[in-house]
Amino acid sequence: MAEVALAAIDLITLNMDFDTGADHEQMVARLLPRVAAQAPERPAAEHERVARWVLENLINVGSVDRGFRAVYGTFGTDGVYVRRDYDFKLVEEVPGYGAGSTSAPPTKRSTSSSAPSTRTSPAPRSPPR
């Protein structure tokens, strides 16, 4: 799954432009060959479920602000250990532009890579079966 997730981040980054993100459905379609290569004996419907699962977990669908939190620690100059939170988003879902449209229709989804922000930790998830 990690390999598919890294491929998804690459695909999103390569397909973004300055005004919009990458089309959500197009990213699912472009992930299918990578998923299929890892389990060629599995049915195409399962490949699509896995591609959607990976993309939605990168977006962090299911959390309120769709962010992630990593907790780490550092030692100060006085030798005291201090825990710190690092809030970030791997991929962010934003409204996408329709063909020739200047506003974002609510039914069109696009995805973009995102800089660190927000605050929440992900719930543990299991891959689809």
Side-chain angles (χ1 to χ4, degrees):
M1 293 296 173
E3 190 175 310
V4 175
L6 290 172
I9 291 170
D10 284 347
L11 283 170
I12 292 164
T13 303
L14 292 170
N15 286 278
M16 287 174 34
D17 63 27
F18 290 109
D19 295 327
T20 62
D23 181 73
H24 189 91
E25 293 305 312
Q26 189 178 56
M27 292 303 93
V28 170
R30 289 186 176 172
L31 277 176
L32 288 176
R34 289 165 172 82
V35 174
Q38 291 189 0
E41 71 286 351
R42 306 301 295 185
E46 185 174 341
H47 296 157
E48 184 174 345
R49 279 195 312 273
V50 168
R52 288 185 186 285
W53 181 86
V54 168
L55 188 56
E56 289 183 358
N57 278 277
L58 288 172
I59 296 169
N60 203 13
V61 171
S63 75
V64 175
D65 64 8
R66 297 186 175 187
F68 294 96
R69 171 172 286 169
V71 179
Y72 66 98
T74 59
F75 287 96
T77 56
D78 57 359
V80 175
Y81 183 78
V82 179
R83 286 177 46 118
R84 301 187 184 278
D85 296 332
Y86 181 71
D87 299 322
F88 62 97
K89 288 184 178 179
L90 292 170
V91 175
E92 184 174 25
E93 187 173 56
V94 296
Y97 291 101
S101 173
T102 56
S103 63
T107 57
K108 182 88 171 166
R109 295 166 65 180
S110 69
T111 344
S112 64
S113 63
S114 178
S117 64
T118 67
R119 51 192 142 94
T120 234
S121 43
R125 293 189 176 89
S126 301
R129 297 187 185 259

